[in-house]
Amino acid sequence: MIPGVGALTQDTLWCFSQVKGTIEIGATEADIISTVEFNHTGELLATGDKGGRVVIFQREQESKNQVHRRGEYNVYSTFQSHEPEFDYLKSLEIEEKINKIRWLPQQNAAYFLLSTNDKTVKLWKVSERDKRPEGYNLKDEEGRLRDPATITTLRVPVLRPMDLMVEATPRRVFANAHTYHINSISVNSDYETYMSADDLRINLWNFEITNQSFNIVDIKPANMEELTEVITAAEFHPHHCNTFVYSSSKGTIRLCDMRASALCDRHTKFFEEPEDPSNRSFFSEIISSISDVKFSHSGRYIMTRDYLTVKVWDLNMENRPIETYQVHDYLRSKLCSLYENDCIFDKFECVWNGSDSVIMTGSYNNFFRMFDRNTKRDVTLEASRENSKPRAILKPRKVCVGGKRRKDEISVDSLDFSKKILHTAWHPSENIIAVAATNNLYIFQDKVN
């Protein structure tokens, strides 16, 4: 176990730390957060939004005199990653919305991250500048070129201190390789390659080569009328650079090994839970579609999220998951209205804590859920500005279905389906979580005694 990342016992009290973003009344569609990701050390936290912007928060150094107050996250850099485009061949608008952000491990003073919209992946370098060169020979102090005839002496340029500037520069642009919308990017453990997945294909890229990629999965049928499933998410194994998984809209997961063949159309392992015929309904296929797939940090397990549940699979057992957690089973009776308002197609993500012992995923009404794999306890918490006083402890929430409602419970009929937690992130080694609620980013941490 990683020190500081404990189990979700009843002693773990989560408290409010920070909220970033405008109050919802003044929010626009472009402000809605579409992805959240901690870097490998947890010192940086990046968000992407529907307006194509990336905002990076940096953790402040903990103050010496306030031992119990852990460093807060403050804005470090903001930049426009993607712009809206128009595909004239298909008469199609390409949104600037950031679908995913993935950090690369830090190798030097600069930070690198990948961001993607529906069509184009970009590699960004984020670096600091606190010195500027002065005393050029061929330029004057304003930067204009000097007349060579006036240069009579040679000067030695010097570096002078200046105010800290954080610059984000696009180092690579990986474009024109996807016919369909990119839903996932994943950095390989060799840190030389990464993959991008859309509805029907997965491409493998080298970070140094932007004009070509290898197509490693292609499930497009010869006749599109025979199409029965699409790829919904994909991820590389955390330690084995040859292995990756991808999930489908049919609720299946395929594990592929790139050593077996260059085109991984034939999977190595196929994970599927047999359906209970007594539970079959009109909505069965829609709610079984997997919206997110994540390897555990150890690489032993895969976690998948579908509409109603989170499942944990052991890589050595393909016929059924070893754990199934009901996220919001009380919505089973509401599937008809959720279909009518399109909520049934919402794509919830899921995350592991640093020691793979606790799972977190989102729900409606700005609720998010945590499941402790060891004690089998679970808790429902809420991200709201009402209880956003510093160090305020989050009270567990309960949803009641029919019957008498207790004072502290909320009725399933009064849930707000426009408020949904789709994107969450967990610090790699501490109990600090980031939760995106529409256009606000909430940061919570466990109470330090």
Side-chain angles (χ1 to χ4, degrees):
M1 255 205 182
I2 296 174
V5 179
L8 189 77
T9 60
Q10 289 184 320
D11 315 325
T12 307
L13 293 171
W14 287 92
C15 59
F16 172 82
S17 176
Q18 293 167 269
V19 59
K20 306 282 185 187
T22 50
I23 294 168
E24 274 152 32
I25 304 157
T28 62
E29 178 81 3
D31 295 328
I32 294 173
I33 297 171
S34 52
T35 183
V36 186
E37 191 79 8
F38 278 102
N39 76 338
H40 291 255
T41 60
E43 292 306 300
L44 298 180
L45 171 63
T47 65
D49 64 24
K50 286 193 171 180
R53 293 179 298 259
V54 171
V55 181
I56 301 175
F57 300 93
Q58 186 182 41
R59 195 175 181 182
E60 298 295 315
Q61 294 304 312
E62 295 172 39
S63 39
K64 299 273 188 292
N65 48 6
Q66 294 173 296
V67 186
H68 297 315
R69 190 166 160 272
R70 287 182 284 186
E72 290 196 336
Y73 285 87
N74 289 319
V75 174
Y76 177 64
S77 175
T78 303
F79 57 93
Q80 188 72 29
S81 174
H82 287 72
E83 302 282 355
E85 293 172 57
F86 193 80
D87 184 336
Y88 291 97
L89 282 174
K90 298 198 180 93
S91 295
L92 199 70
E93 280 185 57
I94 300 167
E95 288 184 352
E96 64 272 42
K97 173 192 163 204
I98 308 292
N99 291 343
K100 285 282 186 291
I101 288 172
R102 290 288 178 263
W103 290 92
L104 275 69
Q106 195 178 358
Q107 308 286 352
N108 51 31
Y111 301 99
F112 287 88
L113 62 92
L114 287 172
S115 65
T116 185
N117 69 346
D118 284 342
K119 297 288 179 195
T120 306
V121 184
K122 294 184 181 182
L123 174 68
W124 289 88
K125 177 186 181 181
V126 181
S127 53
E128 295 181 358
R129 270 214 342 225
D130 58 356
K131 292 184 178 66
R132 67 163 178 262
E134 282 181 5
Y136 286 108
N137 287 296
L138 301 177
K139 292 179 185 170
D140 62 17
E141 299 311 322
E142 271 74 54
R144 291 186 296 263
L145 284 172
R146 291 164 63 186
D147 179 4
T150 64
I151 301 169
T152 54
T153 56
L154 286 177
R155 296 189 288 180
V156 178
V158 289
L159 289 171
R160 298 238 185 273
M162 59 177 262
D163 290 341
L164 179 67
M165 240 175 71
V166 180
E167 294 177 316
T169 45
R171 297 308 299 267
R172 304 271 188 279
V173 177
F174 305 91
N176 308 322
H178 285 278
T179 313
Y180 307 98
H181 293 342
I182 298 172
N183 55 45
S184 309
I185 47 175
S186 178
V187 179
N188 200 345
S189 58
D190 62 10
Y191 305 132
E192 291 177 12
T193 55
Y194 77 91
M195 68 178 171
S196 56
D198 66 25
D199 293 345
L200 298 180
R201 296 192 178 106
I202 300 176
N203 292 334
L204 180 70
W205 299 84
N206 185 300
F207 279 111
E208 300 301 321
I209 302 165
T210 58
N211 60 354
Q212 65 177 33
S213 63
F214 292 99
N215 180 220
I216 51 173
V217 172
D218 187 349
I219 64 166
K220 186 180 179 182
N223 177 4
M224 281 295 269
E225 286 177 10
E226 293 166 11
L227 183 68
T228 57
E229 62 181 331
V230 293
I231 298 166
T232 54
E235 191 179 58
F236 269 119
H237 190 282
H239 313 304
H240 304 313
C241 61
N242 52 285
T243 311
F244 66 93
V245 293
Y246 68 91
S247 58
S248 88
S249 56
K250 275 193 161 176
T252 61
I253 309 115
R254 290 170 175 84
L255 181 84
C256 300
D257 188 338
M258 292 190 289
R259 294 172 303 186
S261 69
L263 188 64
C264 300
D265 285 357
R266 310 253 303 266
H267 49 264
T268 309
K269 291 192 174 184
F270 182 75
F271 301 86
E272 183 178 29
E273 185 171 28
E275 192 191 12
D276 181 355
S278 62
N279 285 342
R280 179 127 191 100
S281 74
F282 170 75
F283 304 109
S284 293
E285 270 192 29
I286 303 171
I287 63 171
S288 67
S289 174
I290 293 172
S291 54
D292 197 15
V293 60
K294 292 263 172 56
F295 271 106
S296 62
H297 296 83
S298 67
R300 170 74 190 269
Y301 305 102
I302 311 169
M303 165 169 60
T304 58
R305 169 74 209 255
D306 56 41
Y307 191 65
L308 294 177
T309 66
V310 171
K311 296 184 172 114
V312 176
W313 304 76
D314 189 315
L315 281 191
N316 301 325
M317 192 164 91
E318 297 168 59
N319 58 344
R320 60 188 170 85
I322 54 167
E323 297 157 30
T324 301
Y325 301 99
Q326 301 296 335
V327 178
H328 36 217
D329 205 43
Y330 46 78
L331 295 182
R332 253 180 223 284
S333 59
K334 296 251 173 279
L335 292 177
C336 214
S337 54
L338 289 164
Y339 179 75
E340 284 163 9
N341 65 15
D342 276 354
C343 282
I344 202 166
F345 301 107
D346 285 334
K347 292 175 169 49
F348 291 96
E349 294 171 9
C350 52
V351 288
W352 301 89
N353 72 339
S355 60
D356 299 334
S357 61
V358 184
I359 284 165
M360 174 171 63
T361 191
S363 180
Y364 293 103
N365 210 67
N366 278 2
F367 288 171
F368 57 99
R369 307 267 283 129
M370 289 185 185
F371 303 95
D372 189 310
R373 297 181 58 211
N374 301 323
T375 63
K376 299 299 179 229
R377 287 202 181 105
D378 63 271
V379 65
T380 303
L381 301 170
E382 182 182 10
S384 78
R385 283 187 178 262
E386 275 69 81
N387 54 5
S388 58
K389 294 185 185 71
R391 319 293 303 149
I393 291 170
L394 300 188
K395 291 189 179 72
R397 303 300 308 262
K398 283 199 168 56
V399 178
C400 83
V401 188
K404 282 186 101 174
R405 185 168 69 88
R406 292 209 189 104
K407 186 166 74 79
D408 57 343
E409 289 183 337
I410 180 167
S411 159
V412 68
D413 296 316
S414 54
L415 293 173
D416 186 343
F417 291 109
S418 67
K419 293 181 174 178
K420 50 192 95 167
I421 305 284
L422 301 175
H423 316 286
T424 58
W426 200 307
H427 188 288
S429 57
E430 292 179 47
N431 276 336
I432 299 174
I433 55 174
V435 173
T438 322
N439 60 310
N440 289 305
L441 180 71
Y442 289 86
I443 298 173
F444 303 107
Q445 56 188 40
D446 63 343
K447 187 167 166 53
V448 182
N449 300 322

